[in-house]
């Protein structure tokens, strides 16, 4: 309050009109003071970290990015500066897109609606399910004992591979591979026909690939060629060595606990979805789109129930994608008995 107002308040000879004026001035001063305090509170240091063409980038936004990135506390200072630049760049791109009305593009709006629906659905499941309790030591040990192929009897494969483009996997190349006695003979053919390829040496175990695929690998003679076609790539692979690589319960315990918790979470999510379906009225207007009664409903985000600690999201049918060169199917995904191609690709991803 300024000195002029103070002098008016302290004057005892005020008339009624002057008293009314004084009261009004005091009210205005108090209101302006309150607004000033709120403005200072909204703009207090640390709340807004940057301004991009008038749009603020806030601490809340940065904290969200740090949380999603899983940044360790010791690295937060450096990461915060980097992520702030990411947020600024994102704001610049968003503004540029809005100027070109891309936020009104039907495809963009559809993608936004999908993302919003997924976030809300996942938030509901998280609220309903919460975090499952840690499995007991007995549960962990029971899983360990029931899956020796992943742990006590685990085998390790050392493999060599030649990687080419799927478009180069011609009938002529398949015929040459059928008659080849080694991977080097295939490489000689590729060099002679000027087919570009890359070489890899990979190590995988029976815990990294689907069980049926592991069985195929274990049953193959050392050095036998087989072909894997995966999306834009095709690979000629031979197993160079198979050796024992057991894992103890002590070493595997944390991995098993994580898997069992994830499995429990998915089971609870599936149960909630079944409950919601049982109470809902769902009409399929196109009868041909009705689901198979035996099919398991997909979880929000496309998650599917897991079946093993490693390679869990790959169906056993994925083993069909890895066949001896003499019997390789040029398009395994098309003849996998209806198996989803993405799942099939993930099934052979253990050989990458």
């Amino acid at each position: 309050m300024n000195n002029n107002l103070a002098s008016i308040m302290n004057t005892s000879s005020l008339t009624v009109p002057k008293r009314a004026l004084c009261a009004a001035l005091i009210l205005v001063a108090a209101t302006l003071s309150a607004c000033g305090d709120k403005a200072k509170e909204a703009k207090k240091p640390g709340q807004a970290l940057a301004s991009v063409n008038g749009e603020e980038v806030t601490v809340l936004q940065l904290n969200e990015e740090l949380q999603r990135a899983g940044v360790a506390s010791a690295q937060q200072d450096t990461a915060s500066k980097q992520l702030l630049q990411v947020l600024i760049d994102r704001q610049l791109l968003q503004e540029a897109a809005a100027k070109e009305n891309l936020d009104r593009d039907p495809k963009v709006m559809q993608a936004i609606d999908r993302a919003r629906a997924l976030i809300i659905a996942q938030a509901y499941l998280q609220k309903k399910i919460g975090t499952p309790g840690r499995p007991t030591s007995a549960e962990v040990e029971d899983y360990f004992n029931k899956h020796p192929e992943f742990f006590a009897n685990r085998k390790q494969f050392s493999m060599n591979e030649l990687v080419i483009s799927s478009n180069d996997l011609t009938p002529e190349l398949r015929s040459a591979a059928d008659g080849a006695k080694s991977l080097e003979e295939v490489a000689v053919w590729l060099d002679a026909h000027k087919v570009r390829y890359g070489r890899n040496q990979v190590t995988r175990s029976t815990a990294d690939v689907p069980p049926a695929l592991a069985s195929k690998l274990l049953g193959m003679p050392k050095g036998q060629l087989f072909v894997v076609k995966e999306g834009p790539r095709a690979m000629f692979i031979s197993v160079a060595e198979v050796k024992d690589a057991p894992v103890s319960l002590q070493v595997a315990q944390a991995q098993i606990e994580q898997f069992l918790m994830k499995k429990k979470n998915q089971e609870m999510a599936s149960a909630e979805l079944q409950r919601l379906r049982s109470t809902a009225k769902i009409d399929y207007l196109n009868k041909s789109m009705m689901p198979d009664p035996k099919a398991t409903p997909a979880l929000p985000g496309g998650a599917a129930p897991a079946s093993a600690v490693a390679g869990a999201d790959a169906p056993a049918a994925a083993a069909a994608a890895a066949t001896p060169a003499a019997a390789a199917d040029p398009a395994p995904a098309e003849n996998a008995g209806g198996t989803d191609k993405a799942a099939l690709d993930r099934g052979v991803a253990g050989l990458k």
Side-chain angles (χ1 to χ4, degrees):
M1 187 180 301
N2 57 35
N3 294 332
N4 291 333
L5 283 175
S7 62
I8 293 174
M9 290 175 60
N10 293 329
T11 302
S12 58
S13 58
L14 292 174
T15 62
V16 173
K18 286 182 179 180
R19 289 179 186 275
L21 176 60
C22 176
L25 288 172
I26 292 173
L27 181 60
V28 170
T31 302
L32 290 174
S33 175
C35 291
D37 291 340
K38 289 180 180 178
K40 289 178 182 177
E41 182 180 351
K43 297 290 185 180
K44 65 183 179 181
Q47 297 303 307
L49 298 173
S51 175
V52 182
N53 296 327
E55 291 292 330
E56 293 183 346
V57 180
T58 67
V59 171
L60 289 177
Q61 290 174 284
L62 180 60
N63 288 341
E64 173 72 11
E65 295 297 323
L66 287 169
Q67 184 178 357
R68 287 184 177 275
V71 178
S73 56
Q75 301 173 328
Q76 287 207 355
D77 288 343
T78 301
S80 293
K81 292 179 181 180
Q82 295 173 343
L83 289 174
L84 178 57
Q85 298 308 311
V86 171
L87 287 168
I88 290 172
D89 291 344
R90 187 184 302 169
Q91 181 62 34
L92 289 170
L93 290 170
Q94 186 175 342
E95 290 178 2
K99 288 179 181 178
E100 298 186 14
N101 294 320
L102 289 178
D103 55 336
R104 295 297 175 185
D105 182 279
K107 291 184 178 179
V108 174
M109 294 176 70
Q110 185 177 12
I112 292 172
D113 288 343
R114 180 182 183 275
R116 180 176 180 275
L118 280 174
I119 291 169
I120 293 174
Q122 289 170 345
Y124 172 81
L125 282 177
Q126 183 63 38
K127 179 181 178 181
K128 283 290 182 181
I129 295 170
T131 303
R134 298 182 70 85
T136 65
S137 297
E139 290 174 323
V140 172
E141 185 173 358
D142 181 64
Y143 187 88
F144 178 88
N145 292 332
K146 287 181 176 178
H147 296 86
E149 70 276 16
F150 297 145
F151 309 111
N153 297 339
R154 192 175 75 149
K155 303 290 184 180
Q156 181 174 290
F157 307 104
S158 295
M159 297 178 286
N160 298 317
E161 63 181 23
L162 300 177
V163 185
I164 64 173
S165 168
S166 291
N167 294 331
D168 292 328
L169 191 60
T170 61
E172 292 77 15
L173 174 52
R174 285 182 174 277
S175 178
D178 291 346
K181 297 180 180 179
S182 69
L183 209 60
E184 285 306 314
E185 289 189 20
V186 178
V188 170
W189 192 96
L190 294 173
D191 288 332
H193 292 79
K194 300 187 185 318
V195 177
R196 297 180 61 182
Y197 64 92
R199 289 180 181 268
N200 284 326
Q201 291 182 327
V202 295
T203 301
R204 294 292 181 265
S205 76
T206 48
D208 298 327
V209 296
L213 182 55
S215 296
K216 277 184 172 290
L217 294 177
L218 289 170
M220 287 181 181
K222 182 179 176 180
Q224 180 176 331
L225 294 177
F226 62 96
V227 180
V228 170
K229 186 176 180 182
E230 183 188 24
R233 307 189 311 165
M235 291 160 282
F236 291 94
I237 304 173
S238 68
V239 178
E241 184 182 14
V242 179
K243 63 182 180 180
D244 293 332
V247 175
S248 67
L249 175 60
Q250 183 178 4
V251 172
Q253 182 170 352
Q255 186 184 20
I256 295 175
E257 285 182 354
Q258 184 180 10
F259 164 73
L260 291 178
M261 290 178 67
K262 180 179 179 181
K263 182 181 179 184
K264 180 65 174 178
N265 196 67
Q266 291 174 333
E267 289 172 349
M268 294 169 66
S270 294
E272 177 61 15
L273 280 173
Q274 291 289 359
R275 186 191 70 80
L276 292 173
R277 282 176 171 270
S278 66
T279 59
K281 185 177 184 298
I282 303 175
D283 294 322
Y284 289 92
L285 304 182
N286 185 339
K287 301 303 181 184
S288 65
M289 298 299 291
M290 293 181 66
D292 184 342
K294 298 180 181 179
T296 302
L299 301 180
S307 59
V309 170
D313 57 354
T323 58
D329 188 328
E334 296 174 3
N335 297 307
T339 302
D340 175 69
K341 183 182 183 302
L344 190 65
D345 289 346
R346 289 195 299 272
V348 297
L351 296 177
K352 289 189 293 186

